[in-house]
Amino acid sequence: MSIQKTLSLIKPDAVAKNVTGSVNARLEQAGLRIVAQKRFQLTKTQAEAFYKVHSDKAFYDSLCEFMSSGPIIAQVLCGEDAVAKNREVMGATNPANAEIGTIRRDFGESIEHNAVHGSDSIENAAIEIAFFFSGLEIME
Ligand code: CMP
């Protein structure tokens, strides 16, 4: 167990549904602290850079189109085992397979329009946080 930071994105589908406050409440109820947060719209090029690990996948173009289709919220979450805890609160990638009470189950629509993204490891969390935030923007 350790105090970690992780990157969370509230995706365009959840922002369009106006449920960002509800998502944040789930995160906070799980003991995660939002130590940085901003709202903006990615360009398609920026989305492609963020998701470049998936560039060989059939869904890559559609995913990047969707992620640049409207405003998102990027946030840094901090807490005990934050990477795993956030993934637990998010639920499985496909909302249809996510546990009842998880963010994706309650707010996601499909495997692509799945409401939130969360880093999958401590190493990737550091890379993904640095993609969106400077150190000055993170206030613990
Ligand atoms: P995310 O956690 O943002 O990481 C990569 C995203 O790719 C994932 O959530 C899904 O939204 C999307 N994704 C993964 N698998 C598929 C798929 N089979 N079809 C469409 N989108 C997918």
Side-chain angles (χ1 to χ4, degrees), residues 67-99:
M67 287 301 292
S68 57
S69 68
I72 64 168
I73 308 283
Q75 28 187 216
V76 180
L77 309 178
C78 184
E80 195 82 47
D81 281 328
V83 172
K85 190 172 285 178
N86 182 41
R87 291 178 71 78
E88 192 180 312
V89 179
M90 288 193 306
T93 305
N94 188 341
N97 301 329
E99 297 280 337

PDB file of all heavy atoms in Angstrom, residues 67-99:
ATOM      1  N   MET A  67     -12.696  11.156 -28.749  1.00  0.00           N
ATOM      2  CA  MET A  67     -12.055  11.865 -27.637  1.00  0.00           C
ATOM      3  C   MET A  67     -11.805  13.343 -27.946  1.00  0.00           C
ATOM      4  O   MET A  67     -11.576  14.132 -27.032  1.00  0.00           O
ATOM      5  CB  MET A  67     -10.746  11.165 -27.256  1.00  0.00           C
ATOM      6  CG  MET A  67     -10.939   9.848 -26.524  1.00  0.00           C
ATOM      7  SD  MET A  67     -11.872  10.003 -24.970  1.00  0.00           S
ATOM      8  CE  MET A  67     -10.725  10.937 -23.950  1.00  0.00           C
ATOM      9  N   SER A  68     -11.849  13.696 -29.233  1.00  0.00           N
ATOM     10  CA  SER A  68     -11.671  15.106 -29.609  1.00  0.00           C
ATOM     11  C   SER A  68     -12.994  15.739 -30.032  1.00  0.00           C
ATOM     12  O   SER A  68     -13.012  16.854 -30.546  1.00  0.00           O
ATOM     13  CB  SER A  68     -10.636  15.209 -30.743  1.00  0.00           C
ATOM     14  OG  SER A  68     -11.035  14.440 -31.856  1.00  0.00           O
ATOM     15  N   SER A  69     -14.107  15.056 -29.753  1.00  0.00           N
ATOM     16  CA  SER A  69     -15.416  15.530 -30.243  1.00  0.00           C
ATOM     17  C   SER A  69     -16.086  16.547 -29.329  1.00  0.00           C
ATOM     18  O   SER A  69     -17.081  17.156 -29.705  1.00  0.00           O
ATOM     19  CB  SER A  69     -16.358  14.338 -30.438  1.00  0.00           C
ATOM     20  OG  SER A  69     -16.685  13.757 -29.181  1.00  0.00           O
ATOM     21  N   GLY A  70     -15.563  16.726 -28.124  1.00  0.00           N
ATOM     22  CA  GLY A  70     -16.175  17.662 -27.181  1.00  0.00           C
ATOM     23  C   GLY A  70     -15.289  17.831 -25.975  1.00  0.00           C
ATOM     24  O   GLY A  70     -14.232  17.182 -25.867  1.00  0.00           O
ATOM     25  N   PRO A  71     -15.686  18.682 -25.033  1.00  0.00           N
ATOM     26  CA  PRO A  71     -14.860  18.924 -23.857  1.00  0.00           C
ATOM     27  C   PRO A  71     -14.660  17.666 -23.019  1.00  0.00           C
ATOM     28  O   PRO A  71     -15.556  16.801 -22.953  1.00  0.00           O
ATOM     29  CB  PRO A  71     -15.639  19.971 -23.061  1.00  0.00           C
ATOM     30  CG  PRO A  71     -16.727  20.445 -23.922  1.00  0.00           C
ATOM     31  CD  PRO A  71     -16.923  19.472 -25.036  1.00  0.00           C
ATOM     32  N   ILE A  72     -13.507  17.603 -22.391  1.00  0.00           N
ATOM     33  CA  ILE A  72     -13.214  16.554 -21.413  1.00  0.00           C
ATOM     34  C   ILE A  72     -12.754  17.226 -20.122  1.00  0.00           C
ATOM     35  O   ILE A  72     -12.442  18.420 -20.113  1.00  0.00           O
ATOM     36  CB  ILE A  72     -12.127  15.565 -21.893  1.00  0.00           C
ATOM     37  CG1 ILE A  72     -10.770  16.285 -22.075  1.00  0.00           C
ATOM     38  CG2 ILE A  72     -12.544  14.873 -23.186  1.00  0.00           C
ATOM     39  CD1 ILE A  72      -9.604  15.322 -22.252  1.00  0.00           C
ATOM     40  N   ILE A  73     -12.734  16.451 -19.043  1.00  0.00           N
ATOM     41  CA  ILE A  73     -12.120  16.907 -17.792  1.00  0.00           C
ATOM     42  C   ILE A  73     -10.912  16.002 -17.558  1.00  0.00           C
ATOM     43  O   ILE A  73     -11.059  14.774 -17.523  1.00  0.00           O
ATOM     44  CB  ILE A  73     -13.076  16.747 -16.590  1.00  0.00           C
ATOM     45  CG1 ILE A  73     -14.441  17.381 -16.839  1.00  0.00           C
ATOM     46  CG2 ILE A  73     -12.427  17.271 -15.312  1.00  0.00           C
ATOM     47  CD1 ILE A  73     -14.505  18.858 -16.718  1.00  0.00           C
ATOM     48  N   ALA A  74      -9.744  16.605 -17.405  1.00  0.00           N
ATOM     49  CA  ALA A  74      -8.552  15.841 -17.016  1.00  0.00           C
ATOM     50  C   ALA A  74      -8.282  16.134 -15.551  1.00  0.00           C
ATOM     51  O   ALA A  74      -8.421  17.278 -15.098  1.00  0.00           O
ATOM     52  CB  ALA A  74      -7.355  16.253 -17.864  1.00  0.00           C
ATOM     53  N   GLN A  75      -7.942  15.091 -14.812  1.00  0.00           N
ATOM     54  CA  GLN A  75      -7.719  15.286 -13.388  1.00  0.00           C
ATOM     55  C   GLN A  75      -6.600  14.380 -12.878  1.00  0.00           C
ATOM     56  O   GLN A  75      -6.337  13.319 -13.438  1.00  0.00           O
ATOM     57  CB  GLN A  75      -9.005  15.046 -12.568  1.00  0.00           C
ATOM     58  CG  GLN A  75      -9.951  14.099 -13.188  1.00  0.00           C
ATOM     59  CD  GLN A  75     -11.298  13.957 -12.496  1.00  0.00           C
ATOM     60  OE1 GLN A  75     -11.806  12.860 -12.485  1.00  0.00           O
ATOM     61  NE2 GLN A  75     -11.898  14.993 -11.940  1.00  0.00           N
ATOM     62  N   VAL A  76      -5.933  14.852 -11.849  1.00  0.00           N
ATOM     63  CA  VAL A  76      -4.956  14.023 -11.144  1.00  0.00           C
ATOM     64  C   VAL A  76      -5.593  13.623  -9.822  1.00  0.00           C
ATOM     65  O   VAL A  76      -6.076  14.478  -9.069  1.00  0.00           O
ATOM     66  CB  VAL A  76      -3.636  14.783 -10.888  1.00  0.00           C
ATOM     67  CG1 VAL A  76      -2.651  13.883 -10.145  1.00  0.00           C
ATOM     68  CG2 VAL A  76      -3.030  15.262 -12.202  1.00  0.00           C
ATOM     69  N   LEU A  77      -5.624  12.312  -9.583  1.00  0.00           N
ATOM     70  CA  LEU A  77      -6.186  11.786  -8.338  1.00  0.00           C
ATOM     71  C   LEU A  77      -5.038  11.302  -7.467  1.00  0.00           C
ATOM     72  O   LEU A  77      -4.079  10.714  -7.959  1.00  0.00           O
ATOM     73  CB  LEU A  77      -7.124  10.613  -8.637  1.00  0.00           C
ATOM     74  CG  LEU A  77      -8.192  10.849  -9.698  1.00  0.00           C
ATOM     75  CD1 LEU A  77      -9.010   9.579  -9.923  1.00  0.00           C
ATOM     76  CD2 LEU A  77      -9.096  12.013  -9.298  1.00  0.00           C
ATOM     77  N   CYS A  78      -5.170  11.523  -6.177  1.00  0.00           N
ATOM     78  CA  CYS A  78      -4.118  11.131  -5.239  1.00  0.00           C
ATOM     79  C   CYS A  78      -4.748  10.348  -4.094  1.00  0.00           C
ATOM     80  O   CYS A  78      -5.864  10.659  -3.659  1.00  0.00           O
ATOM     81  CB  CYS A  78      -3.428  12.401  -4.719  1.00  0.00           C
ATOM     82  SG  CYS A  78      -2.044  12.088  -3.631  1.00  0.00           S
ATOM     83  N   GLY A  79      -4.055   9.338  -3.624  1.00  0.00           N
ATOM     84  CA  GLY A  79      -4.553   8.581  -2.475  1.00  0.00           C
ATOM     85  C   GLY A  79      -3.854   7.246  -2.343  1.00  0.00           C
ATOM     86  O   GLY A  79      -3.007   6.888  -3.164  1.00  0.00           O
ATOM     87  N   GLU A  80      -4.256   6.513  -1.310  1.00  0.00           N
ATOM     88  CA  GLU A  80      -3.733   5.171  -1.061  1.00  0.00           C
ATOM     89  C   GLU A  80      -4.073   4.270  -2.255  1.00  0.00           C
ATOM     90  O   GLU A  80      -5.250   4.179  -2.618  1.00  0.00           O
ATOM     91  CB  GLU A  80      -4.405   4.643   0.211  1.00  0.00           C
ATOM     92  CG  GLU A  80      -3.771   3.435   0.837  1.00  0.00           C
ATOM     93  CD  GLU A  80      -2.575   3.798   1.701  1.00  0.00           C
ATOM     94  OE1 GLU A  80      -2.679   4.738   2.504  1.00  0.00           O
ATOM     95  OE2 GLU A  80      -1.555   3.123   1.558  1.00  0.00           O
ATOM     96  N   ASP A  81      -3.062   3.679  -2.865  1.00  0.00           N
ATOM     97  CA  ASP A  81      -3.271   2.781  -4.019  1.00  0.00           C
ATOM     98  C   ASP A  81      -4.175   3.406  -5.081  1.00  0.00           C
ATOM     99  O   ASP A  81      -5.109   2.764  -5.589  1.00  0.00           O
ATOM    100  CB  ASP A  81      -3.870   1.452  -3.559  1.00  0.00           C
ATOM    101  CG  ASP A  81      -2.798   0.539  -2.974  1.00  0.00           C
ATOM    102  OD1 ASP A  81      -1.651   0.611  -3.433  1.00  0.00           O
ATOM    103  OD2 ASP A  81      -3.121  -0.226  -2.056  1.00  0.00           O
ATOM    104  N   ALA A  82      -3.903   4.667  -5.417  1.00  0.00           N
ATOM    105  CA  ALA A  82      -4.812   5.433  -6.285  1.00  0.00           C
ATOM    106  C   ALA A  82      -5.020   4.785  -7.653  1.00  0.00           C
ATOM    107  O   ALA A  82      -6.132   4.837  -8.192  1.00  0.00           O
ATOM    108  CB  ALA A  82      -4.295   6.862  -6.448  1.00  0.00           C
ATOM    109  N   VAL A  83      -3.983   4.163  -8.219  1.00  0.00           N
ATOM    110  CA  VAL A  83      -4.120   3.587  -9.565  1.00  0.00           C
ATOM    111  C   VAL A  83      -5.176   2.475  -9.546  1.00  0.00           C
ATOM    112  O   VAL A  83      -6.130   2.489 -10.331  1.00  0.00           O
ATOM    113  CB  VAL A  83      -2.758   3.056 -10.086  1.00  0.00           C
ATOM    114  CG1 VAL A  83      -2.949   2.282 -11.384  1.00  0.00           C
ATOM    115  CG2 VAL A  83      -1.778   4.207 -10.285  1.00  0.00           C
ATOM    116  N   ALA A  84      -5.007   1.528  -8.638  1.00  0.00           N
ATOM    117  CA  ALA A  84      -5.939   0.393  -8.566  1.00  0.00           C
ATOM    118  C   ALA A  84      -7.315   0.833  -8.068  1.00  0.00           C
ATOM    119  O   ALA A  84      -8.345   0.362  -8.561  1.00  0.00           O
ATOM    120  CB  ALA A  84      -5.372  -0.687  -7.654  1.00  0.00           C
ATOM    121  N   LYS A  85      -7.323   1.750  -7.092  1.00  0.00           N
ATOM    122  CA  LYS A  85      -8.610   2.193  -6.536  1.00  0.00           C
ATOM    123  C   LYS A  85      -9.451   2.885  -7.606  1.00  0.00           C
ATOM    124  O   LYS A  85     -10.654   2.640  -7.731  1.00  0.00           O
ATOM    125  CB  LYS A  85      -8.372   3.120  -5.339  1.00  0.00           C
ATOM    126  CG  LYS A  85      -9.626   3.424  -4.566  1.00  0.00           C
ATOM    127  CD  LYS A  85      -9.334   4.183  -3.295  1.00  0.00           C
ATOM    128  CE  LYS A  85      -8.750   3.294  -2.214  1.00  0.00           C
ATOM    129  NZ  LYS A  85      -8.430   4.037  -0.992  1.00  0.00           N
ATOM    130  N   ASN A  86      -8.794   3.742  -8.411  1.00  0.00           N
ATOM    131  CA  ASN A  86      -9.552   4.434  -9.463  1.00  0.00           C
ATOM    132  C   ASN A  86     -10.105   3.433 -10.472  1.00  0.00           C
ATOM    133  O   ASN A  86     -11.254   3.554 -10.922  1.00  0.00           O
ATOM    134  CB  ASN A  86      -8.651   5.458 -10.162  1.00  0.00           C
ATOM    135  CG  ASN A  86      -9.397   6.243 -11.219  1.00  0.00           C
ATOM    136  OD1 ASN A  86     -10.553   6.631 -11.009  1.00  0.00           O
ATOM    137  ND2 ASN A  86      -8.776   6.467 -12.352  1.00  0.00           N
ATOM    138  N   ARG A  87      -9.295   2.420 -10.818  1.00  0.00           N
ATOM    139  CA  ARG A  87      -9.778   1.430 -11.789  1.00  0.00           C
ATOM    140  C   ARG A  87     -10.949   0.620 -11.226  1.00  0.00           C
ATOM    141  O   ARG A  87     -11.857   0.222 -11.954  1.00  0.00           O
ATOM    142  CB  ARG A  87      -8.620   0.543 -12.249  1.00  0.00           C
ATOM    143  CG  ARG A  87      -7.639   1.347 -13.104  1.00  0.00           C
ATOM    144  CD  ARG A  87      -6.455   0.545 -13.552  1.00  0.00           C
ATOM    145  NE  ARG A  87      -6.787  -0.447 -14.560  1.00  0.00           N
ATOM    146  CZ  ARG A  87      -6.990  -0.188 -15.840  1.00  0.00           C
ATOM    147  NH1 ARG A  87      -6.932   1.056 -16.303  1.00  0.00           N
ATOM    148  NH2 ARG A  87      -7.258  -1.157 -16.684  1.00  0.00           N
ATOM    149  N   GLU A  88     -10.926   0.401  -9.915  1.00  0.00           N
ATOM    150  CA  GLU A  88     -12.039  -0.311  -9.267  1.00  0.00           C
ATOM    151  C   GLU A  88     -13.317   0.534  -9.334  1.00  0.00           C
ATOM    152  O   GLU A  88     -14.392   0.029  -9.657  1.00  0.00           O
ATOM    153  CB  GLU A  88     -11.638  -0.554  -7.803  1.00  0.00           C
ATOM    154  CG  GLU A  88     -12.506  -1.503  -7.046  1.00  0.00           C
ATOM    155  CD  GLU A  88     -11.997  -1.650  -5.626  1.00  0.00           C
ATOM    156  OE1 GLU A  88     -10.784  -1.852  -5.415  1.00  0.00           O
ATOM    157  OE2 GLU A  88     -12.832  -1.513  -4.707  1.00  0.00           O
ATOM    158  N   VAL A  89     -13.178   1.825  -9.039  1.00  0.00           N
ATOM    159  CA  VAL A  89     -14.350   2.713  -9.049  1.00  0.00           C
ATOM    160  C   VAL A  89     -14.876   2.905 -10.473  1.00  0.00           C
ATOM    161  O   VAL A  89     -16.081   3.014 -10.685  1.00  0.00           O
ATOM    162  CB  VAL A  89     -13.987   4.092  -8.420  1.00  0.00           C
ATOM    163  CG1 VAL A  89     -15.180   5.042  -8.448  1.00  0.00           C
ATOM    164  CG2 VAL A  89     -13.487   3.921  -7.010  1.00  0.00           C
ATOM    165  N   MET A  90     -13.942   2.909 -11.469  1.00  0.00           N
ATOM    166  CA  MET A  90     -14.358   3.058 -12.870  1.00  0.00           C
ATOM    167  C   MET A  90     -15.145   1.844 -13.344  1.00  0.00           C
ATOM    168  O   MET A  90     -16.115   1.978 -14.069  1.00  0.00           O
ATOM    169  CB  MET A  90     -13.124   3.201 -13.794  1.00  0.00           C
ATOM    170  CG  MET A  90     -12.400   4.513 -13.697  1.00  0.00           C
ATOM    171  SD  MET A  90     -11.238   4.695 -15.085  1.00  0.00           S
ATOM    172  CE  MET A  90     -10.264   3.226 -14.966  1.00  0.00           C
ATOM    173  N   GLY A  91     -14.660   0.644 -13.031  1.00  0.00           N
ATOM    174  CA  GLY A  91     -15.265  -0.578 -13.545  1.00  0.00           C
ATOM    175  C   GLY A  91     -14.612  -1.015 -14.849  1.00  0.00           C
ATOM    176  O   GLY A  91     -13.740  -0.329 -15.386  1.00  0.00           O
ATOM    177  N   ALA A  92     -15.062  -2.149 -15.378  1.00  0.00           N
ATOM    178  CA  ALA A  92     -14.465  -2.732 -16.588  1.00  0.00           C
ATOM    179  C   ALA A  92     -14.614  -1.796 -17.786  1.00  0.00           C
ATOM    180  O   ALA A  92     -15.543  -0.981 -17.839  1.00  0.00           O
ATOM    181  CB  ALA A  92     -15.136  -4.068 -16.879  1.00  0.00           C
ATOM    182  N   THR A  93     -13.691  -1.950 -18.758  1.00  0.00           N
ATOM    183  CA  THR A  93     -13.669  -1.076 -19.942  1.00  0.00           C
ATOM    184  C   THR A  93     -15.026  -1.049 -20.648  1.00  0.00           C
ATOM    185  O   THR A  93     -15.509   0.016 -21.029  1.00  0.00           O
ATOM    186  CB  THR A  93     -12.590  -1.567 -20.940  1.00  0.00           C
ATOM    187  OG1 THR A  93     -11.343  -1.650 -20.248  1.00  0.00           O
ATOM    188  CG2 THR A  93     -12.460  -0.635 -22.125  1.00  0.00           C
ATOM    189  N   ASN A  94     -15.621  -2.215 -20.805  1.00  0.00           N
ATOM    190  CA  ASN A  94     -16.950  -2.288 -21.441  1.00  0.00           C
ATOM    191  C   ASN A  94     -18.023  -2.136 -20.358  1.00  0.00           C
ATOM    192  O   ASN A  94     -18.133  -2.992 -19.473  1.00  0.00           O
ATOM    193  CB  ASN A  94     -17.095  -3.631 -22.155  1.00  0.00           C
ATOM    194  CG  ASN A  94     -18.367  -3.683 -22.987  1.00  0.00           C
ATOM    195  OD1 ASN A  94     -19.290  -2.895 -22.771  1.00  0.00           O
ATOM    196  ND2 ASN A  94     -18.409  -4.599 -23.932  1.00  0.00           N
ATOM    197  N   PRO A  95     -18.803  -1.058 -20.401  1.00  0.00           N
ATOM    198  CA  PRO A  95     -19.829  -0.833 -19.361  1.00  0.00           C
ATOM    199  C   PRO A  95     -20.742  -2.037 -19.150  1.00  0.00           C
ATOM    200  O   PRO A  95     -21.205  -2.277 -18.028  1.00  0.00           O
ATOM    201  CB  PRO A  95     -20.606   0.373 -19.891  1.00  0.00           C
ATOM    202  CG  PRO A  95     -19.623   1.096 -20.748  1.00  0.00           C
ATOM    203  CD  PRO A  95     -18.761   0.031 -21.388  1.00  0.00           C
ATOM    204  N   ALA A  96     -20.954  -2.823 -20.210  1.00  0.00           N
ATOM    205  CA  ALA A  96     -21.838  -4.000 -20.095  1.00  0.00           C
ATOM    206  C   ALA A  96     -21.251  -5.053 -19.163  1.00  0.00           C
ATOM    207  O   ALA A  96     -21.983  -5.862 -18.597  1.00  0.00           O
ATOM    208  CB  ALA A  96     -22.074  -4.600 -21.481  1.00  0.00           C
ATOM    209  N   ASN A  97     -19.919  -5.035 -19.011  1.00  0.00           N
ATOM    210  CA  ASN A  97     -19.258  -6.011 -18.137  1.00  0.00           C
ATOM    211  C   ASN A  97     -18.868  -5.427 -16.776  1.00  0.00           C
ATOM    212  O   ASN A  97     -18.297  -6.129 -15.941  1.00  0.00           O
ATOM    213  CB  ASN A  97     -17.967  -6.531 -18.800  1.00  0.00           C
ATOM    214  CG  ASN A  97     -18.232  -7.187 -20.124  1.00  0.00           C
ATOM    215  OD1 ASN A  97     -19.305  -7.762 -20.317  1.00  0.00           O
ATOM    216  ND2 ASN A  97     -17.293  -7.109 -21.049  1.00  0.00           N
ATOM    217  N   ALA A  98     -19.140  -4.138 -16.584  1.00  0.00           N
ATOM    218  CA  ALA A  98     -18.703  -3.466 -15.355  1.00  0.00           C
ATOM    219  C   ALA A  98     -19.638  -3.803 -14.188  1.00  0.00           C
ATOM    220  O   ALA A  98     -20.842  -4.002 -14.382  1.00  0.00           O
ATOM    221  CB  ALA A  98     -18.654  -1.954 -15.583  1.00  0.00           C
ATOM    222  N   GLU A  99     -19.058  -3.870 -12.994  1.00  0.00           N
ATOM    223  CA  GLU A  99     -19.834  -4.153 -11.781  1.00  0.00           C
ATOM    224  C   GLU A  99     -20.896  -3.077 -11.572  1.00  0.00           C
ATOM    225  O   GLU A  99     -20.680  -1.896 -11.879  1.00  0.00           O
ATOM    226  CB  GLU A  99     -18.927  -4.144 -10.548  1.00  0.00           C
ATOM    227  CG  GLU A  99     -17.841  -5.197 -10.537  1.00  0.00           C
ATOM    228  CD  GLU A  99     -18.354  -6.558 -10.114  1.00  0.00           C
ATOM    229  OE1 GLU A  99     -19.393  -6.617  -9.432  1.00  0.00           O
ATOM    230  OE2 GLU A  99     -17.718  -7.553 -10.490  1.00  0.00           O
TER     231      GLU A  99
END
